[in-house]
Amino acid sequence: MEIKSGKEIEDMERIKRLNLINSITGISPANLIGTISNDLIENLSIFSSVIHIGSNPPLIGFILRPTKKNRRDTYENIIETNKFTINHINSDMIERSHYTSVKFDKNESEFQKCQFKAEYLNNFQAPYVKESDVKIGLNLEDIQLIKSNGCRLIIGRVERLYAPSSAIHKNGNIQLELLNSVGVSGLNTYYSLNKIAEYPYARVNDPFLKEA
Amino acid sequence: MEIKSGKEIEDMERIKRLNLINSITGISPANLIGTISNDLIENLSIFSSVIHIGSNPPLIGFILRPTKKNRRDTYENIIETNKFTINHINSDMIERSHYTSVKFDKNESEFQKCQFKAEYLNNFQAPYVKESDVKIGLNLEDIQLIKSNGCRLIIGRVERLYAPSSAIHKNGNIQLELLNSVGVSGLNTYYSLNKIAEYPYARVNDPFLKEA
């Protein structure tokens, strides 16, 4: 496939363009974001746009679609409470997680509809997903409107973290292959992960470069 | 592992925190970003922060670390030329790609140092990576400074796209498993991808939810 102009993309059939542009960036992390409203209505939603922003301070972001046409409970709840959780999807959770993207009514909880258990830990206001192996609790740090298309980059600061110690290397790295954490491509295809390589921090005097 | 406060993260040993916070978001896409300066010095750099922003218009972003302490050739070149390319890393390219993160001198090209071939297609100013199966040419659309830590979200608009037709489903989805595209966790661990599930667009009347 060769696309040689923006016009060719513009002229594509809508669903084909949606799938193509959603999948060309490569694999994305599969996470569930948990929130609760001040009225105590829980919300859970799958996001493939969770991204590392910085480690000191520890900041994680995600992209929220425009709020104009559709109700965005995740967004409303974060605005109300300043809190949200990010929970890894593992291979036993894929189908249930996928269906959190259904447009349920505002007073329906995806936890109940999609058969997940909400879990509250150490007085953190937002619900975690009990079934997830890695659970992160975040405080809202900033919201940046993306002028180009009305999306928002929601940035949270990591305040809590729960993960099996056995899956964390002594250097701090989370070992995804021990957790069955999965990735997602585009809007509906899920992938398991096999570790195939690991390299040290790259330095100019590395043998790899000397041999080159 | 249980972390119950931001203070506990702050107090961690620096490298351990760096690895932990870089890897807790889950798998990330592994891409090379290609640019060229007005003086015709090419640059190539690995990024794990490429993210889908929107499909209409087709926008892709990535996070660029702060420019204060370190020279950021990718950033300087994008400012100069308004153009960059995103190229998928496949399993044959991992080691070479990893070493593009070395701090080379400004007049050294990572293409040459890391043994990649720069490819220029259809008069697009920025270089693609010949070895990559999926190559995307983008125009700079916007730069958003992330106030919380001085990083920038660089947003590009997709203008060109090259990918093997055999790996693109008729619905538009790129089939990563046919491309050997890889993912990266944290700063140095690479994963291959195995497709394990695919679900339709989730609707409220889906049998999965009726059975629940």
Side-chain angles (χ1 to χ4, degrees), chain A residues 102-133:
Chain A
V102 164
K103 291 183 183 67
F104 294 108
D105 290 338
K106 188 174 171 61
N107 61 353
E108 291 178 318
S109 163
E110 291 82 5
F111 281 98
Q112 188 261 315
K113 287 282 177 183
C114 298
Q115 306 170 57
F116 286 112
K117 260 212 172 81
E119 186 176 39
Y120 291 88
L121 297 172
N122 297 304
N123 296 314
F124 195 74
Q125 191 178 356
Y128 298 95
V129 177
K130 191 174 171 54
E131 292 83 352
S132 286
D133 298 305

Side-chain angles (χ1 to χ4, degrees), chain A residues 53 59 141-148 152-155, chain B residues 53 62-69 72 75 79 140-155:
Chain A
I53 303 277
L59 302 174
E141 175 87 12
D142 198 11
I143 297 179
Q144 296 207 271
L145 184 67
I146 296 174
K147 285 157 269 166
S148 321
R152 287 176 175 82
L153 174 64
I154 312 286
I155 302 175
Chain B
I53 303 278
F62 69 95
I63 302 287
L64 190 112
R65 309 242 61 84
T67 49
K68 271 195 180 164
K69 279 192 210 157
R72 302 286 176 196
Y75 179 64
I79 295 289
L140 177 63
E141 176 86 11
D142 199 11
I143 297 178
Q144 296 208 270
L145 184 68
I146 295 173
K147 285 157 270 167
S148 321
N149 69 352
C151 285
R152 287 175 174 82
L153 174 64
I154 312 285
I155 302 175

Side-chain angles (χ1 to χ4, degrees), chain B residues 98-146:
Chain B
H98 183 74
Y99 284 96
T100 62
S101 62
V102 164
K103 291 183 182 67
F104 294 108
D105 290 338
K106 188 175 172 61
N107 61 353
E108 290 178 318
S109 163
E110 291 82 6
F111 281 98
Q112 188 261 316
K113 286 282 178 185
C114 298
Q115 306 170 56
F116 287 112
K117 260 212 172 81
E119 185 175 41
Y120 291 88
L121 298 172
N122 297 305
N123 296 314
F124 195 74
Q125 192 178 356
Y128 299 95
V129 178
K130 191 174 172 53
E131 291 82 351
S132 285
D133 298 304
V134 178
K135 311 174 219 271
I136 311 167
L138 303 101
N139 279 349
L140 177 63
E141 176 86 11
D142 199 11
I143 297 178
Q144 296 208 270
L145 184 68
I146 295 173

Side-chain angles (χ1 to χ4, degrees), chain A residues 1 24 88 163 177 191 194, chain B residues 1 24 53 88 163 177 191 194:
Chain A
M1 174 188 256
I24 50 170
H88 280 211
E177 70 279 12
Y191 290 82
N194 290 307
Chain B
M1 173 188 256
I24 50 169
I53 303 278
H88 280 213
E177 71 280 12
Y191 290 83
N194 290 307

Side-chain angles (χ1 to χ4, degrees), chain A residues 172-185:
Chain A
N173 272 322
I174 293 198
Q175 301 176 282
L176 297 175
E177 70 279 12
L178 301 181
L179 293 168
N180 288 319
S181 289
V182 301
V184 58
S185 166

Side-chain angles (χ1 to χ4, degrees), chain A residues 1-3 12 15-28 184-191, chain B residues 31 60 86-89 132-136 158 160-182 193 195 197-198:
Chain A
M1 174 188 256
E2 253 192 64
I3 291 179
M12 284 176 82
I15 297 295
K16 190 170 178 183
R17 179 180 57 222
L18 188 75
N19 285 329
L20 181 69
I21 303 298
N22 265 281
S23 62
I24 50 170
T25 46
I27 195 73
S28 304
V184 58
S185 166
L187 300 169
N188 52 16
T189 314
Y190 297 85
Y191 290 82
Chain B
N31 286 293
I60 299 178
I86 295 176
N87 308 268
H88 280 213
I89 297 172
S132 285
D133 298 304
V134 178
K135 311 174 219 271
I136 311 167
V158 181
R160 315 285 176 98
L161 175 60
Y162 305 90
S165 297
S166 57
I168 302 176
H169 191 280
K170 62 178 195 280
N171 67 11
N173 272 322
I174 292 198
Q175 301 176 282
L176 296 175
E177 71 280 12
L178 301 181
L179 292 168
N180 288 318
S181 289
V182 301
L193 310 170
K195 181 172 155 178
E198 194 167 6

